[in-house]
Amino acid sequence: MSRAVTIAVPKGRVLKALTPVLARLGIDAKEVLGEGDDRRLIREVPSVGWRFILLKPDDVPTYVEYGAADLGVCGRDVLLERGFDLYQPVDLGIGRCRMVVAMPSSTATLPDPPRIATKYPRIAAAHFAKRGVQAEVVFVQGSVELAPLTGLADAIVDLVETGETLRQNNLEVREVVAEISSVLVANRAAFKLLGSRARDVVAAFTPR
Ligand code: PRP
């Protein structure tokens, strides 16, 4: 019996969005999503010879890069920020959002140099550098929208999905940095080694 194909998936919203993929494969979503207070971090699906490992989104590409997982589901934001070079066979079309520069509606122009708060310091610095602006980038972990409201920063680089968080905090989008979605990533060596078994995973995850 060959070993299970290991697929790294983020806990939370994106994991739930995989329900149709699992249904297509005849897998009961509960086997992977769990029920109640299920804290198992490895979820075996013997019927298809796969196992899912549940991670924080930022750790998915790390596990795939080191070969601790064969494939994984992660956002383009994480790949861009951390410069991972992983095979990306499929855009899953889920977790769609935009990475933007946003600032208070009352701000006409940014000071030079601007101070930018973000969870994505590399992406932010590269974005402003492309425009010849040497931004001062301040790393924050979350609630990024708070930064311009409190004087921590002049603007933010962050993800926007519905735009509701920006609206309710009197901020507006001034530039789109990148379109983001979730992609399937694969360890290049594992992908070759697994052959048709890896291609089966890709086929199952390809949106139709
Ligand atoms: C994300 C993102 C924005 C918000 C955008 O934050 O950083 O704050 O969602 O969504 P919206 O456009 O639909 O309002 P998340 O919910 O992950 O929390 P965080 O502030 O802790 O990063």
Side-chain angles (χ1 to χ4, degrees), residues 22-80:
L22 302 173
R24 269 208 299 276
L25 289 161
I27 300 173
D28 181 355
K30 278 184 247 141
E31 281 189 68
V32 180
L33 305 186
E35 271 184 306
D37 190 23
D38 187 343
R39 304 206 186 171
R40 291 171 306 130
L41 298 172
I42 299 179
R43 312 267 166 103
E44 307 274 355
V45 189
S47 55
V48 286
W50 296 356
R51 60 179 195 157
F52 289 87
I53 58 175
L54 275 56
L55 300 168
K56 285 273 188 193
D58 285 12
D59 291 335
V60 168
T62 310
Y63 274 71
V64 176
E65 184 167 82
Y66 281 88
D70 302 307
L71 299 113
V73 173
C74 73
R76 285 191 195 283
D77 53 337
V78 181
L79 297 177
L80 282 174

Side-chain angles (χ1 to χ4, degrees), residues 1 4 8 33-34 40 63 69 76 93-94 99 101 108 117 130 132 140 152 157 168 179 182 195 199 205:
M1 175 79 184
L33 305 186
R40 291 171 306 130
Y63 274 71
R76 285 191 195 283
I94 54 175
M99 175 89 62
V101 178
K130 259 197 292 193
V140 291
L152 177 65
V157 167
Q168 292 195 20
E179 299 289 338
S182 291
R199 290 194 296 277
F205 276 77

